[in-house]
C-alpha cells in the first residue's frame, strides 16, 4: 500500500502538522465572524470554548483511529460499517477535504489580491500555489512535515512580533465589561469558530503514519492549544483596537489591525510580512487537506497516489474559483463549518461505538 | 533532446513566473500624503479647465485637495534654493471622492497612490453638512489606504491648512508630527485614526477630532471639533481651554502646562504636569445615574512668581497645589457644563464608564445616551501633588 516503511512521523512531527493544519485563513476574518454572532467583546471566551469543543470531538476521532494502527479511515471504515457505507462516507470526507483546500486557497487569493498583489490575475496566484502544492504532496507525509516544521517557527515569530507591535493601538476598555450580557452571547460566538478549529479530521489519516499512534490524543490536544493561542491573540487585539462596533465593519479585521499602525523598525508596515508568512501557513493547510483527499481516492479506488494528486488538482482549482463573489465565499465557509460539525462532531462517536461493539480493530 | 526541452521549459518558467506582476517605478507615482475635504469651492485652475470644456457630470458638493510628494528623482539634482517646495496640491470638485481622485488622472500622468497617506483634514462647512461616515467611506474601504490615517477637522477651509507651511516642510508631516508634542501641551487631543473612528461612527457615539486652523503660512492646533453621534456630523467646537478640560477629565494628557493666578495676590503659578490619571466612576442608585470623577496628577513647579523669595516648604507647596486644583476643577466643570447643556454630547467617556461598570443599565440608556447624559450629576475630585521645584528652591526674589 501507499504507507511505505520509511513514511513514518514522530509525535512532535505530527503535532507540528496539526498546528499547521489548524491555523487557517480564518484568522483574517475570525474576529468579525465571532463578534457578529455574539455581539459582545467576550468572544475571547468563545475562542477558548471552541478549542475545547474541537478537542473533545478530535479525541474521539483519535480514539477511533488508534484502534486501527497503520490504517487510514478510508481503509478501516470498511470493517466498521461495511463496504458500501464506508465508500460513501469516504467520498464525503474526500469532498470535504477538497472543499477545505479550495476555500483556503480562495480566501488566500482574495486577501493577497486585495492587499498585496493588486493587478496580478487570480489564476496566476492560484496556479503557482497549486503546482507547488502538487510537488510537495508527491513527497508524501514526510515532505509535508518538513515544510510544516520550516514554516511554523517562522510564522510564530512574525505573528507574535506583529501582535506585540499592535499593542500601540490596543485599548483594554474595548474588551470590557467581561460577561456584561452573561454567557449566552459567548455560546453564540462558539459556532463560527468551528471552521477555524476543526482539526480532528486530519487525524483520520495522520494517525496511520505515526510511529506511536497511542499519542494521537496528545498530538491533537497540544496542537489545538498552540493554535488557540494564535486565534486568541488575533481576536483580543483586533477587538482592542477597533471595538466591537468597529470590528463588524471590517471585511478582514485582523489584517486591518496590522495595517493600523506604523512603526519605524526596519520596516514601517508589517501587513505584507504577515501576509507572506500566513500564505505559507495556508499553503500547509491546503497541502495537508489536499493530500488527505488524494490519499482517500487512492485508497478507496486502489489507484497510485501520484495519479490521484494530478487528478484532483483541477478539481481543487474549480472549487477555488467557484464562489463568484465575496459573500458566496463567506457563505461557503459557514457552510463548510456546519458540515464539519456534523461530519466530525456527530458521526465519529457512533462509529467508535460500533467498532467497540463489533470488536473491530484492537 | 529531452534535456533541451527541459531547458526551454525552465527558461519559460523563469520568464513567466518570476518578478512582480504589477510593479510600478516610484518616479511614475504620485504619493498622496494628505487630503483636505471642503464644501464645494472650485479652484481657479478648475474654473479655467471648465471654461475650456473640461467638465464632467457631477453635483458640486465636495472639493477634495490632494497633497502629493514630489519624488526626489523627478526633481533632479539641481538645487533651486530654499524656496522650492517638496510637495504640491491639486484640487478636484465633485460629489464622489473616488471620482475626484480618478479625475486627477486626466491632469497628470503619474498615478496617485494612497499607501503613504497620513492625514485627512475636513473643513467645517462640509463636516457640518455631510455625515462623516460618507466622507470617510472611500478611505476606510480602499485597499491602498491604511486605517492608520489620521483624521482632523478644520474650523475654516481645510485646503488652507495644506497650503500653509514653513519652507522645506510638508504640511502632511507637520500635522502628523504635532501629535508628537503631546508631552508638551495639554491642548492636543488623542490622535484619532480611521481605526478608532469606525467603531464610534458605527455605534453612533459622539467623539472629538483635533481641530487645526491656518493663518499666514502656518498652522495651529486649536481645540477640537465634536462629531455628534446621532447625526454623524460636526456639531460644534471646543476651544483650546475646553479641550484642556477634556484632557484633564479623561486623563489622557502626557505632559504640559497648568497655569493659575493665585486668588489673593494675583501671583502666577505654573505647574508642569508629569503624570495624570483620571477615573470616572458611574454610580447607580435607585435607577438614578451619577458620576464621580477623580483626577490625580503629579508634577513640578515650572515657575513660582513671588516677590518674597520664600522657601518652598511643604505648607507653601500644599497651598499652591490647592490653587492649582481649583483651576483644574474650573476647567473640567466648564467643559462638562458645555457638553451637557450646550452641545448635548458626551465626549468625556462617561458613557464608556457606565457601559463597563453597569452594563445592564447601559443597555437601557445607550440609545439616546447623549440626551440622557445632559441631565446627570457629575461630581469632581481633583488631587494634585507638587513633587519638586526644579533647580531653584525658593520663590522668585
Amino acid at each position: 500500500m501507499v504507507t511505505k516503511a520509511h513514511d513514518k512521523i514522530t509525535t512532535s512531527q505530527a503535532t507540528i502538522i496539526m498546528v499547521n493544519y489548524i491555523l487557517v485563513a480564518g484568522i483574517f476574518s475570525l474576529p468579525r465572524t465571532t463578534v457578529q454572532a455574539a455581539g459582545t467583546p467576550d468572544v475571547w471566551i468563545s475562542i477558548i470554548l471552541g478549542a475545547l469543543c474541537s478537542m473533545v470531538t478530535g479525541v474521539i476521532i483519535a480514539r477511533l483511529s488508534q484502534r486501527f494502527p497503520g490504517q487510514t479511515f478510508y481503509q478501516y471504515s470498511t470493517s466498521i460499517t461495511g463496504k458500501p457505507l464506508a465508500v460513501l462516507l469516504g467520498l464525503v470526507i474526500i469532498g470535504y477535504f477538497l472543499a477545505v483546500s479550495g476555500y483556503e486557497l480562495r480566501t488566500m487569493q482574495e486577501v493577497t489580491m486585495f492587499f498585496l498583489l493588486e493587478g496580478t490575475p487570480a489564476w496566476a496566484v492560484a496556479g503557482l500555489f497549486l503546482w507547488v502544492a502538487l510537488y510537495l504532496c508527491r513527497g508524501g507525509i514526510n515532505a509535508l512535515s518538513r515544510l510544516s516544521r520550516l514554516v511554523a517557527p517562522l510564522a510564530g515569530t512574525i505573528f507574535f512580533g506583529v501582535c506585540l507591535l499592535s499593542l500601540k493601538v490596543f485599548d483594554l476598555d474595548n474588551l470590557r465589561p467581561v460577561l456584561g450580557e452573561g454567557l449566552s452571547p459567548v455560546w453564540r460566538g462558539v459556532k463560527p469558530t468551528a471552521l477555524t478549529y476543526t482539526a480532528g479530521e486530519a487525524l483520520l489519516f495522520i494517525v496511520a503514519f505515526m510511529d506511536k499512534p497511542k499519542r494521537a490524543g496528545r498530538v491533537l490536544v497540544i496542537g489545538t492549544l498552540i493554535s488557540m493561542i494564535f486565534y486568541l491573540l488575533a481576536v483580543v487585539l483586533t477587538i482592542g483596537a477597533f471595538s466591537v462596533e468597529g470590528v463588524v465593519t471590517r471585511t478582514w479585521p485582523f489584517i486591518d489591525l496590522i495595517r493600523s499602525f506604523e512603526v519605524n523598525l526596519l520596516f514601517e508596515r508589517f501587513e505584507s510580512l504577515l501576509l507572506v508568512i500566513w500564505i505559507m501557513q495556508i499553503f500547509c493547510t491546503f497541502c495537508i487537506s489536499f493530500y488527505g483527499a488524494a490519499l482517500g481516492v487512492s485508497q478507496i479506488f486502489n489507484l497510485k497516489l501520484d495519479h490521484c494528486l494530478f487528478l484532483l488538482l483541477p478539481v481543487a482549482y474549480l472549487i477555488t474559483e467557484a464562489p463568484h463573489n465575496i459573500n458566496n465565499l463567506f457563505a461557503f465557509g459557514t457552510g463548510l463549518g456546519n458540515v464539519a460539525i456534523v461530519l466530525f462532531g456527530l458521526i465519529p462517536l457512533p462509529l467508535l461505538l460500533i467498532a467497540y461493539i463489533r470488536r473491530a480493530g484492537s | 533532446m529531452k534535456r533541451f526541452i527541459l531547458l526551454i521549459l525552465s527558461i519559460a518558467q523563469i520568464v513567466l513566473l518570476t518578478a512582480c506582476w504589477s510593479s510600478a517605478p516610484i518616479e511614475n507615482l504620485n504619493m498622496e500624503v494628505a487630503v483636505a475635504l471642503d464644501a464645494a469651492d472650485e479652484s481657479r485652475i478648475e474654473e479655467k479647465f471648465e471654461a475650456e470644456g473640461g467638465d464632467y457630470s457631477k453635483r458640486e458638493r465636495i472639493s477634495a485637495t490632494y497633497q502629493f510628494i514630489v519624488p526626489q528623482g523627478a526633481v533632479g539634482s539641481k538645487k533651486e534654493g530654499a524656496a522650492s517646495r517638496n510637495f504640491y496640491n491639486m484640487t478636484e470638485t465633485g460629489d464622489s471622492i473616488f471620482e475626484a481622485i480618478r479625475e486627477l488622472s486626466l491632469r497628470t500622468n503619474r498615478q496617485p497612490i494612497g499607501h503613504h497617506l497620513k492625514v485627512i483634514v475636513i473643513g467645517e462647512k462640509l463636516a457640518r453638512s455631510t455625515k462623516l461616515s460618507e466622507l470617510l467611506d472611500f478611505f476606510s474601504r480602499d485597499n491602498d489606504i491604511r486605517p492608520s490615517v489620521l483624521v482632523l477637522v478644520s474650523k475654516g477651509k481645510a485646503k488652507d491648512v495644506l497650503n500653509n507651511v514653513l519652507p522645506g516642510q510638508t504640511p502632511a508631516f507637520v500635522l502628523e508630527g504635532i501629535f508628537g508634542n503631546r508631552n508638551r501641551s495639554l491642548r492636543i487631543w488623542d490622535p484619532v485614526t480611521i481605526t478608532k473612528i469606525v467603531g464610534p461612527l458605527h455605534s453612533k457615539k459622539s467623539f472629538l477630532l483635533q481641530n487645526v486652523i491656518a493663518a499666514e503660512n502656518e498652522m495651529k492646533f486649536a481645540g477640537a471639533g465634536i462629531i455628534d453621534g446621532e447625526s454623524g456630523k460636526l456639531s460644534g467646537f471646543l476651544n483650546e481651554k475646553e479641550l484642556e478640560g477634556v484632557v484633564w477629565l479623561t486623563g489622557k494628557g502626557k505632559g504640559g502646562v497648568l497655569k493659575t493666578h493665585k486668588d489673593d495676590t494675583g501671583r502666577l503659578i505654573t505647574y508642569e504636569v508629569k503624570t495624570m490619571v483620571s477615573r470616572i466612576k458611574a454610580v447607580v442608585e435607585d435607577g438614578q445615574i451619577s458620576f464621580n470623577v477623580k483626577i490625580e496628577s503629579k508634577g513640578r513647579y515650572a515657575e513660582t512668581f513671588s516677590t518674597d523669595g520664600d522657601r518652598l516648604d511643604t505648607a507653601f507647596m500644599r497651598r499652591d497645589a490647592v490653587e492649582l486644583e481649583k483651576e483644574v476643577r474650573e476647567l473640567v466643570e466648564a467643559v462638562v457644563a458645555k457638553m451637557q447643556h450646550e452641545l448635548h454630547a458626551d465626549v468625556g467617556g462617561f458613557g464608556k464608564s457606565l457601559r463597563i461598570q453597569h452594563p445592564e443599565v447601559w443597555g437601557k440608556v445607550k440609545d439616546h445616551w447623549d440626551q440622557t447624559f445632559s441631565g446627570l450629576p457629575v461630581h469632581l475630585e481633583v488631587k494634585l501633588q507638587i513633587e519638586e521645584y526644579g533647580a531653584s528652591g525658593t520663590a522668585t526674589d
Side-chain angles (χ1 to χ4, degrees), chain A residues 114 118-121 124 128 169 173 176-177 180 241-243 245-246 248-250 256 259-262 269 271, chain B residues 17 21-22 115-116 118 140-148 195-196 198-199 202-203 205 352 355-356 359:
Chain A
F114 188 67
E118 197 185 6
T120 308
L128 202 61
V169 290
D173 284 342
R176 298 196 299 166
F242 283 100
S243 82
E245 291 87 0
V248 294
T249 68
R250 310 274 84 198
D256 273 350
R259 281 158 35 96
S260 293
F261 55 88
E262 286 170 21
R269 37 206 66 198
E271 69 267 21
Chain B
L17 296 179
W21 196 291
S22 35
H115 298 278
H116 297 272
K118 300 285 182 203
S140 71
R141 197 181 297 278
D142 192 71
N143 56 351
D144 278 0
I145 291 161
R146 300 163 59 87
S148 60
T195 308
K196 298 293 176 192
V198 286
H202 190 64
S203 61
K205 279 190 200 120
K352 189 173 77 179
R355 172 175 66 81
I356 292 171

Side-chain angles (χ1 to χ4, degrees), chain B residues 14 26 60 107 133 210 259 282 326 343 374-375:
Chain B
I14 290 168
I26 195 159
E60 312 227 319
R107 288 166 61 179
S133 48
Q210 180 67 48
K259 184 187 78 179
K326 213 167 85 193
L343 301 160
S374 298

Side-chain angles (χ1 to χ4, degrees), chain A residues 54-64 203 217 220-221:
Chain A
S54 135
M55 272 184 226
V56 171
T57 58
V59 165
I60 296 172
I61 295 178
R63 278 248 159 284
L64 187 65
L203 289 176
L220 178 94
V221 170

Side-chain angles (χ1 to χ4, degrees), chain B residues 325-386:
Chain B
E325 282 166 5
K326 213 167 85 193
E327 177 68 24
V328 173
R329 178 182 293 276
E330 275 166 22
L331 280 171
V332 177
E333 273 169 358
V335 77
V336 169
K338 182 160 183 175
M339 276 187 231
Q340 290 191 318
H341 307 308
E342 201 176 312
L343 301 160
H344 303 288
D346 164 28
V347 289
F350 292 101
K352 189 173 77 179
S353 306
L354 186 66
R355 172 175 66 81
I356 292 171
Q357 294 162 22
H358 299 279
E360 66 296 343
V361 179
W362 172 247
K364 283 178 227 150
V365 297
K366 68 176 176 190
D367 285 338
H368 298 285
W369 172 244
D370 280 337
Q371 291 308 321
T372 314
F373 165 70
S374 298
L376 300 179
V378 175
H379 309 288
L380 265 181
E381 191 184 327
V382 184
K383 186 111 188 68
L384 253 58
Q385 199 182 330
I386 302 174

Side-chain angles (χ1 to χ4, degrees), chain A residues 287-326:
Chain A
C287 288
I288 294 163
S289 59
F290 184 63
Y291 182 78
L295 194 68
V297 175
S298 110
Q299 293 185 336
I300 290 177
F301 300 104
N302 245 327
L303 297 166
K304 270 181 82 178
L305 180 65
D306 267 9
H307 296 166
C308 299
L309 288 168
F310 275 104
L311 193 76
L312 292 185
L313 204 62
V315 185
Y317 181 69
L318 287 179
I319 297 174
T320 302
E321 302 303 344
H324 46 82
N325 67 27
I326 192 100

